[in-house]
Amino acid sequence: MAKRIFNFNAGPAALPLSVLEEIQAEFLDYKGCGMSITEVSHRSSWFDEVINDAVLRVKRLLNLGENYKVLFLHGGASLQFTMVPLNLIADDQVADYVNTGSWSVKAIKEAEIIGKKVRVVASSEDRDFNYIPKDIAFDADAAYVHITSNNTIRGTQWRSFPDTGGVPLVSDMSSDIMGRTFDVAPFGLIYAGAQKNLGPSGVTVAIIRQDMLERVPDNLPTMLKYTTYAAKNSMFNTPPCFAIYVLQLVMKWLEETIGGIANMEEINRKKAELLYNYLDESDFYRGTAEKEDRSIMNITFRLADESLEETFIAEALANGLGGLKGHRSVGGCRASIYNASSLEAVQALVSFMAEFERKHG
Amino acid sequence: MAKRIFNFNAGPAALPLSVLEEIQAEFLDYKGCGMSITEVSHRSSWFDEVINDAVLRVKRLLNLGENYKVLFLHGGASLQFTMVPLNLIADDQVADYVNTGSWSVKAIKEAEIIGKKVRVVASSEDRDFNYIPKDIAFDADAAYVHITSNNTIRGTQWRSFPDTGGVPLVSDMSSDIMGRTFDVAPFGLIYAGAQKNLGPSGVTVAIIRQDMLERVPDNLPTMLKYTTYAAKNSMFNTPPCFAIYVLQLVMKWLEETIGGIANMEEINRKKAELLYNYLDESDFYRGTAEKEDRSIMNITFRLADESLEETFIAEALANGLGGLKGHRSVGGCRASIYNASSLEAVQALVSFMAEFERKHG
C-alpha cells in the first residue's frame, strides 16, 4: 500500500485516489495499444477519444449549450491575462475589471502591458482583499466585465455573480470551476488552470461563447488566438496530452463517482461548513475572510498567537496533513479543500486542530 | 507484463521503458511524501529538487557554460515562433531565416504576424525540402540566424551548422536535441518541444545565452518574456510539473544508463545506418531525403508502389511496429527513431520490411 497523506495544497492539489490508481494501472500499456499514454500520438484515435471525451464531459457537467466551445490551452491562467484582452477588447473599447486580489491585479496589469484600456470598477484592496465588492456600476459599453470568481490567496469567493446588464462576464475560475453549480449564460469566457479542481498542472481550460470567438482579430499570433484552438479541437500543435488525459479521468470521476456538480457542491459545502464552524467557535483560530464572502474552496485562517503558526503547520504535516501553509505573499494558514479533498480529510484536519488547541491553547 | 510495441511515432514518441516503470512505481507516493508527483506543490522542496536536477542535467549533458540558462516554457515550439522574434529582434533590426520545411515556414510566418522584419536567406522549397541549403550568405547585422536543425516531416538534418560570422544562431531543435554532440557556443538560443527526445508533450525547453536575455524589452507580456522564466527558475506561474518531472528522469537515463550524448549519438548513428543501408539496397523502398542531408532521427521513405503503403503501415502495426505513417501533409512512410527507440526496434523494423518486400515485391 502506498503511504498517502491528506493533501490541502492550493495547487497543484489533491487528485482522486481512484483516478491516480487508474493512471498507474494503465501507464505502460494504454488500453492495450502497447504504448504509455505519454507515448501516444496526439493524431491517433486513442488520443482523439481522450480529448473528445474530455470536452464532452466538461460540456455535460456545466450544462453548456451548442454556443460554447471547450478549449485546452497552454501557459496557465497567467497567459490568459494576456490572451483575454488581446482577443476580446477592440481598439475603441474599454474593459471593466473588478480587483479582488493578486490574481485580479495581475490580470489588470497584463491588459495594460499590451496597451488595452481597462477600467477598475471596484476593488477590495482597502481591506486587504478580505471581501467581495457589491453593488458595482458597470459600463454598458464595456468589452466585458472581468472577475476572479474565487480568490485562492485571500479565501474569498463570489457567492453570486454580478448583474452586468448584458455585458459579457469573463472569469478566472481556476480555483472553483466545477466546485458548484452556476448559470453559464452570462459568461462570454471562463478560463481555469487545471491544477486545482480539474487535473494536474500543464493545461488550461477555456469555455468560450460563439460571440466572443467572432471578436477575435485575424492578425494575432496563431498560438495566442482562441479561434486557432476552436478550429482545431485544441490540436493546432501538440497539446499537453498527459494533462488532458488526467483531466478527462477527473471529469469521469466527477460525473460517474460523485454524480455531477450538484452533488459535488453539497459535499463541498459540508466540508467548508465543518471547518468554518470550528473556526468560528474557537478563540484560538480565526478566519480571515468576511463571513458572507468566504470561499468554500480555500479556507484561510490565522492562529490568535501567530508565532505558533510554523509549529502548527509542521505538526500537521507530521500528522499526515500537508499543504496548510498560507500563500507566501500573505502568510498564515490555508486549507484548500478542492473537489478531490474528502470530507474525511476535513474531519481529520478539524480533529488535529482541536488537539493542537488543547496542547497549545 | 504490459504489452509493449516498437513505437516509431514522430512525437509524442517512445520513452525509455525503465523511466516509465519508475514513474509507475512511485506514482501514488512520490519519494515517500504521501502524494503523487501530480499533487505536489511546485513551491515544495520535492519539486524544487526535480526542476533543479532537470536543469543541472541538461547543462551537464550539453556542456553548457555559466553564460547559458535552461528554461522550461509553455506552448510548444509553436509559441516560440512568436516569442523568439518578439524578444530578440529590435525595431530597427532584421533577422535571417533559413527555410527547410513546414516548421521553418511557420516560424517565418509568426515573425511576420507580429510585424518583425525577416529575410529568408535560403530555402530548399524548390525540391520539396528534400535537402539543406549550403553556402548561404548571411547579413552581418542580422539580429540572429534562425534554422530548424532537424526537419521531422521531410527527414532532413543539418549535419553541421552554418558559419554565420558571429551572428547568433537560433535553432528549433525539437526533433534532434540531445541526439548528437555539437558545440553550443555559436547558439544564442535553442528551443525544443519535449515530446521527441526529452520527455512527454507539455513542456518546451529553451537554452538561452546571457547576451540574448539582455535584449529582451521590458514592456512585453510577462508570460512571453524569456527574462520572466530566467528570473524565477521557470516558476513565475505554475509550471507543467509532470512533464518536467518526466524530462528529469529521461535526462537521468541519458546520463546514467546511456552514458551521455556521445554514446547516444553512436547508437543513433548505428540505428540510422542500419535503416538507410537497407533502403539504399532495396528497389522496393526508397528514401526521400538527399543522402548528404539525411536525418538520423526521422527516416522518411516511400514504397516504389505507393499504393502498397497503407497495407505496409497496417501490417507493420499488426506486427507490433507502430507510428510508421508519414506526416499527413506529405504522405508516405516515416520511422522516427529518437533516443528512446532501441537498436532492437530498428532491427525488428528492417526484418519486417524485408519480409514485407518478399511477400509483396
Side-chain angles (χ1 to χ4, degrees), chain B residues 66 242 282 355:
Chain B
E66 279 305 303
F242 181 79
S282 159
E355 177 61 28

Side-chain angles (χ1 to χ4, degrees), chain A residues 3-4 15 32 39 110 222, chain B residues 3-4 15 32 39 110 222:
Chain A
K3 175 194 125 190
R4 299 274 299 165
L15 290 168
E39 304 176 297
E110 295 301 326
T222 307
Chain B
K3 176 193 124 189
R4 299 274 300 165
L15 289 168
E39 304 176 299
E110 296 300 327
T222 307

